[in-house]
């Protein structure tokens, strides 16, 4: 029954194996978007009710944060059951209805495959800690009698965890974890683990999910004498995973979350036989640096350091997401600079990053928000918008962990920002009432009624992007005029030639461009379709 349902839902989409290269992705947490049943927590019913909004915005794919059964100690990245929906968010039936409704609108759905670790409440871990050492059940996870193994592996959640090992009194052994201590790492040296993961993957792909984001994918294996990241064994596993997907399914996509330097990140594409997409982490902080420094160098420099990628592969670009603005892929000096100019309040910092949303980071400067979004939409890759950033939502750095950037979506000036009918005290997190970003002024309703709003500007940007395949598939060539405050590049796909000129300065600048290669052509400004004099 469920299979039939899924099949009919997937055929609503065009048959396009490279859909992700032309996509505009919208990242959203079910719990934060809209509350359909009035319990103060967003759910699939609520998300389905807002699909018209997302279609109107023009996005072509949704990336959903984990919505599985979980103690929610890491907002769902601590999974206790890979194939059940957390009751707060609804039922599998609700999910299927949502998936079908999204597909009917031509919107694809990307979900999370968190395979590096589970929750310590997952039955696999409960079984492992009771099992005899040496058994397969025990070896679902990585155990040790000492904390001395793999000393070169860094600690990622350095504000919270002193070690990658924690003692389990039941097992009377230490277990390995790259994130919170309640998230034991699965042991990929155990073939039974591969099988269990493939079963979970099949469950969602059979249902019709279009893509999977592979969370924390560099850390699957551990080997002595290494930093336990990007190991050859991890890439071998990914090739096997890709083969499995290709042999059973059409038009699906794997997206690697590998917070790595460009040369390590490209490895996740393999020879076009690992992940289809990978986030480009290092380019993100450099967009912010270039803007503050009013200098194109950081952007050009990191893209120069980025190797070419296989034909079918694609970078995923983003400005902000549900985590801190990570500063792992910058030098110590650049990190100090970023903290100084973007997070002078120590409360805005967490681990190695900044827990702020886009608008507050840019001092709510509309022109800067537009500039960074324009770059997000025109540099090589597929843009990912973080929910709420299309209306310039604010944040709350006084909430714990990364919750300050995960507050309810602001729909209107009504109670609870139109997110939920519940008692405001029952909301999963409070709505934003900071004077500058108060939900009474920053909300979808108000902006829909104002064609000059950021929301309308974003809608036009999304549409513009979708009209030209050169943005998603074209080559890039930088022009290097004398004035370094201006970033200039040409995106090209056969006869589609797009010149992008970005003034990074707060002030008006002039720049002389050598466009002799385009002599005789008539430039057309893309936002207004204004024709310029032909180039001489
Ligand atoms: C990366 C996710 O983006 C983050 O939110 C999570 O805490 C870690 N992986 C651990 O799963």
């Amino acid at each position: 029954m469920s299979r039939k349902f899924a099949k009919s839902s997937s055929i609503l989409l065009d048959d396009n194996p490279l859909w992700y290269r032309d996509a505009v992705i919208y990242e959203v947490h079910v719990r934060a978007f809209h509350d359909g049943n009035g319990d103060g927590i967003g759910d699939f019913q609520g998300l389905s009710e807002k699909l018209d909004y997302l279609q109107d915005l023009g996005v072509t794919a949704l990336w959903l944060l984990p919505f599985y059964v979980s103690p929610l100690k890491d907002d769902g990245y601590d999974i206790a059951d890979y194939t059940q929906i957390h009751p707060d968010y609804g039922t599998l039936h609700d999910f299927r209805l949502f998936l079908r409704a999204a597909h009917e609108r031509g919107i694809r759905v990307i979900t999370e495959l968190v395979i590096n670790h589970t929750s310590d409440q997952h039955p696999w871990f409960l079984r492992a800690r009771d099992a005899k050492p040496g058994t397969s059940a025990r070896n679902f996870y990585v155990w040790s009698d000492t904390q001395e193994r793999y000393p070169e592996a860094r600690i990622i959640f350095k504000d919270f965890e002193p070690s990658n090992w924690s003692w389990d009194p039941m097992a009377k052994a230490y277990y390995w974890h790259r994130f919170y201590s309640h998230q034991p790492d699965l042991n990929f040296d155990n073939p039974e683990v591969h099988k269990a993961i493939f079963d979970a993957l099949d469950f969602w792909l059979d249902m019709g999910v279009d893509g999977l984001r592979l969370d924390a994918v560099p850390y699957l294996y551990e080997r002595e004498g290494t930093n336990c990241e990007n190991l050859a064994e991890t890439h071998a596993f990914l090739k096997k995973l890709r083969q499995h997907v290709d042999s059973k399914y059409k038009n699906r996509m794997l997206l690697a979350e590998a917070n790595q330097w460009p040369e390590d990140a490209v490895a996740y594409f393999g020879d076009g036989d690992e992940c289809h997409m990978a986030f480009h982490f290092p380019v993100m902080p450099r967009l912010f640096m270039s803007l503050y420094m009013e200098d194109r160098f950081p952007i050009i420099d990191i893209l120069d350091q980025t190797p070419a990628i296989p034909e079918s592969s694609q970078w995923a670009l983003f400005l902000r997401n549900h985590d801190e603005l990570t500063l792992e892929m910058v030098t110590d000096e650049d990190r100090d600079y970023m903290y100084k100019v973007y997070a002078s309040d120590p409360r805005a910092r967490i681990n190695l990053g900044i827990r702020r949303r886009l608008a507050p980071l840019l001092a709510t400067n509309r022109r800067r928000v537009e500039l960074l979004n324009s770059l997000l939409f025109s540099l090589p890759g597929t843009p990912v918008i973080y929910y709420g950033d299309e209306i310039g939502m604010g944040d709350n750095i006084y909430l714990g962990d990364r919750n300050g950037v995960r507050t309810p979506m602001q729909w209107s000036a009504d109670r609870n920002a139109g997110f939920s009918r519940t008692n405001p005290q029952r909301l999963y997190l409070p709505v934003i009432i900071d004077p500058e970003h108060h939900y009474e002024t920053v909300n979808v309703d108000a902006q829909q009624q104002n064609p000059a709003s950021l929301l309308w500007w974003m809608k036009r940007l999304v549409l513009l992007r979708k009209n030209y395949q050169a943005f998603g598939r074209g080559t890039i060539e930088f022009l290097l005029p004398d004035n370094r405050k201006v970033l200039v590049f040409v995106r090209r796909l056969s006869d589609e030639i797009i010149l992008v000129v970005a003034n990074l300065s707060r002030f008006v600048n002039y720049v002389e461009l050598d466009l002799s290669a385009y002599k005789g052509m008539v430039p057309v400004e893309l936002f207004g379709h204004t024709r310029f004099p032909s180039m001489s």
Side-chain angles (χ1 to χ4, degrees):
M1 173 66 197
S2 66
R3 282 198 133 207
K4 234 170 150 189
F5 200 108
K7 283 220 174 96
S8 59
S9 152
S10 283
I11 54 169
L12 297 167
L13 301 166
D14 55 330
D15 183 11
N16 176 6
L18 296 178
W19 59 268
Y20 50 89
R21 297 193 68 190
D22 309 311
V24 177
I25 301 177
Y26 189 85
E27 175 190 358
V28 61
H29 196 355
V30 179
R31 111 153 144 168
F33 211 52
H34 192 236
D35 173 13
N37 66 356
D39 66 355
I41 304 166
D43 44 41
F44 278 107
Q45 188 195 325
L47 182 57
S48 298
E49 286 165 10
K50 293 298 183 186
L51 280 170
D52 287 345
Y53 166 76
L54 295 166
Q55 188 176 18
D56 177 56
L57 178 58
V59 298
T60 63
L62 302 180
W63 154 28
L64 305 185
L65 299 194
F67 47 72
Y68 317 101
V69 167
S70 158
L72 301 183
K73 284 166 131 189
D74 183 15
D75 220 351
Y77 283 97
D78 47 330
I79 296 175
D81 187 337
Y82 281 98
T83 55
Q84 286 296 325
I85 308 274
H86 194 291
D88 283 353
Y89 308 146
T91 61
L92 273 172
H93 181 66
D94 295 336
F95 178 81
R96 287 197 180 97
L97 290 177
F98 154 75
L99 186 63
R100 186 185 174 88
H103 284 172
E104 275 168 358
R105 288 165 174 79
I107 298 177
R108 289 184 155 87
V109 175
I110 302 162
T111 59
E112 292 268 355
L113 192 66
V114 185
I115 55 177
N116 178 66
H117 48 269
T118 68
S119 160
D120 60 4
Q121 298 308 304
H122 196 292
W124 297 340
F125 189 71
L126 302 178
R127 187 183 62 184
R129 54 167 29 163
D130 271 347
K132 285 212 181 69
T135 58
S136 173
R138 174 78 152 207
N139 288 338
F140 252 59
Y141 296 85
V142 182
W143 301 97
S144 170
D145 293 334
T146 76
Q147 297 191 68
E148 316 306 320
R149 296 169 70 197
Y150 317 130
E152 283 135 73
R154 69 193 162 117
I155 295 171
I156 297 168
F157 285 173
K158 66 174 197 60
D159 284 2
F160 304 93
E161 297 294 342
S163 164
N164 286 325
W165 290 107
S166 284
W167 177 253
D168 183 60
M170 305 280 288
K172 297 200 174 39
Y174 293 97
Y175 62 91
W176 179 249
H177 57 86
R178 292 310 301 270
F179 295 93
Y180 285 120
S181 56
H182 57 73
Q183 288 164 313
D185 275 29
L186 285 164
N187 176 12
F188 277 79
D189 281 319
N190 182 348
E192 294 288 316
V193 167
H194 296 201
K195 197 181 160 302
I197 294 296
F198 282 27
D199 286 348
L201 175 142
D202 286 348
F203 181 84
W204 295 104
L205 294 189
D206 281 343
M207 204 180 292
V209 161
D210 304 285
L212 296 168
R213 170 188 180 268
L214 302 181
D215 182 71
V217 77
Y219 318 115
L220 302 186
Y221 283 82
E222 302 75 33
R223 289 291 178 266
E224 214 54 76
T226 74
N227 66 359
C228 300
E229 300 188 14
N230 313 318
L231 300 184
E233 290 84 346
T234 295
H235 289 291
F237 171 76
L238 288 176
K239 288 188 203 301
K240 182 172 145 189
L241 189 79
R242 172 68 178 267
Q243 253 172 25
H244 176 85
V245 171
D246 285 351
S247 68
K248 288 186 76 172
Y249 306 98
K250 273 178 75 181
N251 303 335
R252 310 305 168 99
M253 184 274 289
L254 300 173
L255 164 58
E257 192 230 3
N259 188 354
Q260 299 289 328
W261 290 96
E263 64 270 25
D264 292 322
V266 285
Y268 288 88
F269 299 123
D271 296 320
D273 57 355
E274 293 188 28
C275 295
H276 306 75
M277 296 187 77
F279 287 103
H280 199 312
F281 275 91
V283 81
M284 182 274 297
R286 286 167 180 83
L287 291 167
F288 288 90
M289 278 177 63
S290 271
L291 186 66
Y292 212 94
M293 292 164 62
E294 304 192 356
D295 190 325
R296 67 191 179 216
F297 176 77
I299 297 175
I300 296 189
D301 181 49
I302 201 72
L303 291 176
D304 276 351
Q305 287 178 47
T306 304
I309 62 177
E311 184 58 30
S312 60
S313 305
Q314 180 81 327
W315 291 112
L317 303 183
F318 61 102
L319 298 172
R320 290 297 299 111
N321 62 20
H322 63 290
D323 289 326
E324 67 275 26
L325 187 167
T326 166
L327 297 173
E328 278 162 311
M329 294 305 129
V330 296
T331 61
D332 290 352
E333 211 185 345
D334 289 348
R335 190 174 309 120
D336 288 347
Y337 178 79
M338 284 291 290
Y339 277 142
K340 194 169 141 237
V341 301
Y342 284 111
S344 52
D345 184 340
R347 271 201 163 267
R349 305 176 189 180
I350 184 173
N351 298 320
L352 272 189
I354 301 172
R355 49 174 168 184
R356 302 227 67 169
R357 267 187 179 269
L358 184 63
L361 274 170
L362 303 181
T364 322
N365 182 322
R366 168 81 180 265
R367 297 180 70 189
R368 290 183 164 211
V369 171
E370 288 182 2
L371 182 57
L372 279 199
N373 273 302
S374 304
L375 293 177
L376 173 72
F377 273 67
S378 54
L379 288 169
T382 290
V384 183
I385 305 171
Y386 185 49
Y387 88 92
D389 282 350
E390 75 276 23
I391 56 169
M393 246 173 82
D395 54 32
N396 183 351
I397 55 174
Y398 303 101
L399 297 175
D401 203 337
R402 294 147 290 173
N403 288 327
V405 300
R406 300 176 181 182
T407 61
M409 179 67 179
Q410 296 169 192
W411 294 104
S412 70
D414 295 342
R415 175 189 193 134
N416 302 323
F419 163 78
S420 169
R421 309 183 290 281
T422 199
N423 176 338
Q425 302 202 138
R426 200 180 162 195
L427 289 180
Y428 78 92
L429 282 175
V431 292
I432 299 294
I433 52 171
D434 157 66
E436 232 185 326
H437 307 99
H438 200 291
Y439 69 84
E440 286 181 356
T441 38
V442 180
N443 65 63
V444 171
D445 234 22
Q447 295 198 20
Q448 287 287 29
Q449 290 172 48
N450 177 2
S453 63
L454 177 62
L455 176 59
W456 271 93
W457 187 86
M458 287 295 290
K459 287 202 248 184
R460 288 191 285 268
L461 185 69
V462 171
L463 187 65
L464 194 160
R465 159 116 192 168
K466 290 199 295 190
N467 282 339
Y468 301 96
Q469 265 200 338
F471 287 121
R473 302 189 183 213
T475 55
I476 185 165
E477 184 201 340
F478 287 103
L479 272 57
L480 300 172
D482 290 343
N483 186 348
R484 288 172 45 143
K485 292 184 195 301
V486 186
L487 173 70
V488 188
F489 52 88
V490 175
R491 301 297 314 277
R492 183 170 197 158
L493 184 72
S494 55
D495 60 350
E496 248 178 55
I497 306 172
I498 300 172
L499 173 70
V500 180
V501 184
N503 175 11
L504 301 166
S505 167
R506 286 160 299 160
F507 303 112
V508 171
N509 267 257
Y510 88 91
V511 71
E512 269 178 43
L513 304 178
D514 177 3
L515 297 171
S516 48
Y518 307 101
K519 195 167 177 217
M521 290 188 178
V522 177
V524 178
E525 198 280 332
L526 286 187
F527 276 98
H529 297 284
T530 311
R531 286 168 74 87
F532 277 45
S534 79
M535 283 182 286
S536 46

